[in-house]
Amino acid sequence: MLKSNHEDNNKPKYNLFKNSKYAISGLRITFRNEMSFKVEILIAIPLLIAIYLVDFEMMEKTILLITLFLVLIVEILNSAVENVVDITTKEYNILAKNAKDMGAGAVFISICLHVMCWAIFYLN
């Protein structure tokens, strides 16, 4: 028999404060366990300062902020995919490898997008 959403242990009833707590916990877990995320945070800090200081239009700065945070968001999602793959199988599986590689590819594209935005705005 199918369970309704309120009976699912993995999907508790919505509560703004609890959900915020889960989100912060997820950020902590990602920072604690994922070296790539740590490196991206360390790179993001001076980039945030640079975005503030650089003489670009407000729209350009906004795009740079969005693409910078997009890199972090995609990295978190990639880490989540990797965790799910790891609990699904401990043995080598081409589909597991593909899923992890696809997640890494998404991170790579988000980084390229951010770099391209910097290049376009700087060269204009």
Side-chain angles (χ1 to χ4, degrees):
M1 182 173 185
L2 294 175
K3 291 182 178 182
S4 65
N5 284 345
H6 68 279
E7 295 174 7
D8 187 351
N9 290 336
N10 288 325
K11 189 171 183 177
K13 188 176 176 183
Y14 181 82
N15 178 303
L16 177 64
F17 297 107
K18 282 185 180 178
N19 287 20
S20 297
K21 182 180 166 185
Y22 300 147
I24 292 167
S25 174
L27 290 172
R28 281 191 195 126
I29 291 165
T30 307
F31 188 79
R32 192 175 333 125
N33 298 324
E34 301 295 332
M35 182 55 74
S36 295
F37 189 70
K38 288 179 189 176
V39 169
E40 289 160 358
I41 290 289
L42 290 174
I43 292 170
I45 292 168
L47 284 174
L48 283 169
I49 296 167
I51 291 168
Y52 176 76
L53 295 175
V54 76
D55 189 27
F56 288 156
E57 298 292 325
M58 187 56 68
M59 183 58 73
E60 294 168 332
K61 289 183 177 200
T62 302
I63 291 169
L64 289 172
L65 280 172
I66 290 169
T67 58
L68 178 60
F69 279 95
L70 181 64
V71 171
L72 300 175
I73 292 166
V74 174
E75 183 62 54
I76 292 169
L77 293 172
N78 178 48
S79 296
V81 167
E82 289 179 349
N83 276 263
V84 170
V85 167
D86 288 345
I87 64 169
T88 304
T89 181
K90 299 294 181 197
E91 300 169 8
Y92 177 82
N93 181 305
I94 189 64
L95 296 177
K97 179 191 180 309
N98 290 349
K100 287 183 170 191
D101 288 353
M102 289 174 196
V107 173
F108 180 74
I109 289 172
S110 69
I111 292 169
C112 289
L113 176 65
H114 184 67
V115 170
M116 286 188 297
C117 288
W118 271 103
I120 290 166
F121 299 152
Y122 184 75
L123 295 174
N124 254 347

